[in-house]
């Protein structure tokens, strides 16, 4: 049986959500904006989805904007807040370990004169609230921070950061929280977090792909980023994905109802995996040892390429990841590990197992049987290649230079395990 341990990339659609969606992919095809019976039934389903999502976040249904996913929710939050706040200032604070769905929209805003400050993190990937406070100026209009990191699982002290922003920041400075990775497993109550904007995605909590939500605190002004019809209270134009909304509504409601039990079970499985893996020579846990997502195991393995371990695990039916699914395939080491102070060769040994609600204890047993064997094999292959390279060093250097072949994994600690 193949084992899926990449829930931080995406999760399977849970059967209850699929079941609830089916009518809206079939007979109930109405447009929620239509005044006739088909439209009214679609509208009722959409309204119910808003209510379920709002209940999960502890807010009102009118504070929820449905989008196409986490990335769009974050684009709407960040660009919408920046443009709405432009008259008051141009300074935006974030951190170096954010998901690209936060960093790239902000880098885009820099082209229009906004100043983006990426705050440093410690060895565990944590921000110091003092750093946030010190970076606030009277021209700061937005602070954008992820609740939990999707690569290393570290949970940020969001409530404390928000308190500092309220106490020391200028009036009207908004706080946007990327809760896409945390919402499935941690409490994400908007009043506990204190945030003005909170982004979540359906497919990270066993809902469908292509749907997400942004919480916009009542009275908070952000500029819409997609223009057209009057949908989502003028904040996101376009005919709504009714089936997706219904599926996400059901998934998020169930995720919240089961969250405590799921988190407790995952924490036990995670800790078992962490203690066995870190018991291996040259393996280190990345991210915070305690304040971390319940189901997220992230490590660096010395003297191997995480990417080649992922390929070998896949051949044995185990789906894992080196880190963010969005950057897999790029030759660059993770910006998250780099920000945490890991040198490039160590960061290349990154490996992530993200457990989910449906992960069984037997899955962990299998991983614990397979991983040490694969790592030992990869290390032996790497050592053999390194020895061969040393023996052939002058000849190889010439041949490579002549052929002009790019060395994809340069550097002393790096290898392509064959
Ligand atoms: C997955 C993820 C996103 C992007 O969400 P999509 O729904 O894939 O667009 C953003 N931030 C974090 C922390 C994530 O884990």
């Amino acid at each position: 049986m193949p084992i899926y341990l990449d829930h931080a990339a995406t999760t399977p659609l849970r059967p209850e959500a699929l079941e609830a969606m089916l009518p809206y992919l079939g007979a109930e095809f109405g447009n929620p904006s239509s005044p006739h019976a088909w439209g009214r039934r679609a509208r009722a389903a959409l309204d119910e989805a808003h209510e379920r999502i709002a209940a999960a976040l502890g807010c009102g249904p009118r504070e929820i904007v449905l989008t196409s996913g986490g990335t769009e929710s974050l684009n709407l939050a960040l660009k919408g807040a920046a443009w709405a706040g432009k008259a008051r200032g141009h300074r935006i604070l974030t951190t170096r370990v954010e998901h690209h769905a936060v960093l790239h929209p902000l880098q885009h805003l820099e082209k229009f004169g906004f100043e983006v400050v990426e705050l440093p993190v410690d060895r565990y990937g944590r921000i110091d609230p003092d750093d946030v406070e010190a970076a606030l100026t009277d021209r700061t209009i937005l602070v954008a921070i992820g609740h939990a990191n999707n690569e290393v699982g570290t949970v940020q002290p969001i409530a404390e950061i928000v308190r500092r922003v309220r106490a020391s920041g200028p009036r009207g400075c908004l706080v946007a929280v990327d809760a896409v990775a945390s919402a499935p497993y941690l409490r994400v109550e908007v009043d506990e977090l204190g945030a003005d904007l909170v982004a979540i995605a359906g497919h990270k909590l066993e809902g469908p792909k292509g749907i997400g939500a942004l919480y916009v605190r009542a009275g908070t002004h952000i500029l819409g980023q997609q223009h057209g019809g009057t949908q989502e209270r003028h904040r996101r134009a376009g005919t709504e994905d009714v089936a997706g909304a219904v599926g996400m509504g059901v998934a998020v409601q169930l995720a919240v109802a089961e969250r405590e039990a799921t988190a407790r079970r995952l924490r036990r499985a995670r800790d078992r995996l962490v203690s066995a893996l870190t018991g291996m020579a040259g393996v280190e846990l990345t991210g915070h040892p305690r304040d971390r997502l319940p189901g997220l195991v992230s490590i660096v393995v010395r003297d191997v390429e995480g990417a080649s371990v992922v390929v070998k695990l896949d051949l044995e039916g185990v789906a894992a990841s080196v880190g963010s699914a969005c950057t897999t395939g790029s030759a660059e080491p993770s910006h998250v590990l780099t920000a945490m102070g890991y040198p490039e060769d160590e960061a290349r040994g990154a490996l992530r197992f993200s457990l989910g609600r449906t992960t069984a204890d037997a899955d962990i047993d299998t991983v614990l049987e397979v991983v040490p064997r694969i790592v030992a094999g990869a290390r032996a292959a790497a050592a053999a290649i390194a020895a061969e390279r040393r023996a052939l060093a002058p000849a190889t250097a010439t041949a490579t230079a002549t052929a002009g072949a790019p060395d994809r994994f340069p550097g002393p600690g790096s290898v392509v395990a064959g």
Side-chain angles (χ1 to χ4, degrees):
M1 265 288 272
I3 296 171
Y4 184 82
L5 293 180
D6 199 13
H7 292 83
T10 196
T11 57
L13 181 63
R14 63 187 301 164
E16 302 92 329
L18 174 62
E19 188 72 21
M21 291 169 73
L22 287 175
Y24 300 93
L25 295 167
E28 298 296 350
F29 58 84
N31 183 327
S33 298
S34 298
H36 49 60
W38 278 266
R40 287 198 309 273
R41 289 194 297 270
R43 166 64 50 192
L46 191 64
D47 286 347
E48 189 179 9
H50 269 102
E51 277 160 24
R52 287 175 194 240
I53 296 167
L57 298 179
C59 66
R62 293 153 74 93
E63 294 175 299
I64 294 294
V65 182
L66 292 176
T67 68
S68 67
T71 299
E72 192 195 325
S73 292
L74 290 162
N75 270 265
L76 174 57
L78 306 179
K79 294 175 185 168
W83 288 115
K86 192 163 125 307
R88 281 178 290 108
H90 61 284
R91 188 172 162 93
I92 299 170
L93 308 183
T94 187
T95 84
R96 291 190 196 151
V97 296
E98 297 312 313
H99 192 279
H100 283 158
V102 170
L103 292 179
H104 291 173
L106 293 180
Q107 284 162 15
H108 176 74
L109 286 167
E110 283 184 317
K111 295 181 195 149
F112 300 93
F114 291 95
E115 175 200 12
V116 178
V117 179
E118 291 181 11
L119 297 169
V121 294
D122 66 13
R123 178 77 179 172
Y124 300 128
R126 272 226 290 212
I127 322 155
D128 186 340
D130 288 347
D131 289 343
V132 178
E133 188 168 350
L136 290 164
T137 69
D138 58 3
R139 303 288 285 165
T140 306
I141 53 172
L142 174 64
V143 178
I145 292 180
H147 186 196
N149 187 276
N150 62 305
E151 284 188 40
V152 297
T154 300
V155 178
Q156 303 293 356
I158 293 288
E160 177 59 22
I161 290 167
V162 175
R163 264 193 295 280
R164 302 295 186 93
V165 174
R166 301 294 183 232
S168 310
R171 260 178 61 95
C173 178
L174 300 182
V175 180
V177 172
D178 173 1
V180 176
S182 59
Y185 309 109
L186 306 178
R187 276 177 73 87
V188 178
E189 295 269 330
V190 296
D191 283 340
E192 277 173 26
L193 293 177
D196 303 291
L197 302 157
V198 178
I200 61 171
H203 73 109
K204 297 285 176 79
L205 37 76
E206 295 182 276
K209 292 170 186 60
I211 187 96
L214 178 67
Y215 158 75
V216 182
R217 186 175 290 281
T220 300
H221 178 52
I222 59 168
L223 245 55
Q225 297 298 306
Q226 177 158 299
H227 306 103
T230 60
Q231 290 90 353
E232 296 299 298
R233 301 168 47 78
H234 296 270
R235 290 176 297 193
R236 202 272 188 173
T239 300
E240 303 88 343
D241 175 358
V242 178
V246 167
M248 180 171 175
V250 168
V252 83
Q253 184 177 39
L254 291 170
V256 169
E258 299 165 3
R259 189 152 59 197
E260 296 289 312
T262 303
R264 218 175 307 119
R265 218 163 38 74
L266 288 184
R267 244 178 242 121
R268 271 202 303 275
R270 174 199 70 189
D271 291 346
R272 189 156 80 89
L273 197 47
V274 166
S275 71
L277 292 175
T278 55
M280 292 163 57
V283 174
E284 186 190 320
L285 182 74
T286 59
H288 200 278
R290 288 176 312 279
D291 289 334
R292 61 186 296 123
L293 287 173
L296 201 136
V297 177
S298 54
I299 54 175
V300 284
V301 186
R302 236 174 242 288
D303 304 323
V304 300
E305 290 282 340
S308 78
V309 174
V310 166
V311 168
K312 290 194 166 69
L313 282 168
D314 184 38
L315 291 173
E316 305 226 12
V318 177
S321 155
V322 293
S324 178
C326 314
T327 49
T328 300
S330 88
E332 292 293 303
S334 152
H335 69 284
V336 174
L337 293 176
T338 306
M340 288 159 63
Y342 286 85
E344 192 171 322
D345 61 326
E346 282 181 35
R348 286 192 190 287
L351 200 54
R352 180 185 72 184
F353 300 96
S354 44
L355 322 186
R357 185 182 59 89
T358 49
T359 302
D361 283 344
D363 298 344
I364 307 298
D365 297 338
T366 305
V367 171
L368 289 180
E369 187 265 314
V370 170
V371 172
R373 178 158 46 80
I374 287 178
V375 167
R379 279 183 177 150
I385 289 171
E388 202 167 312
R389 277 210 183 136
R390 271 194 303 278
L392 301 172
T396 311
T398 321
T400 308
T402 325
D407 187 358
R408 245 176 37 85
F409 302 107
S414 61
V415 254
V416 189

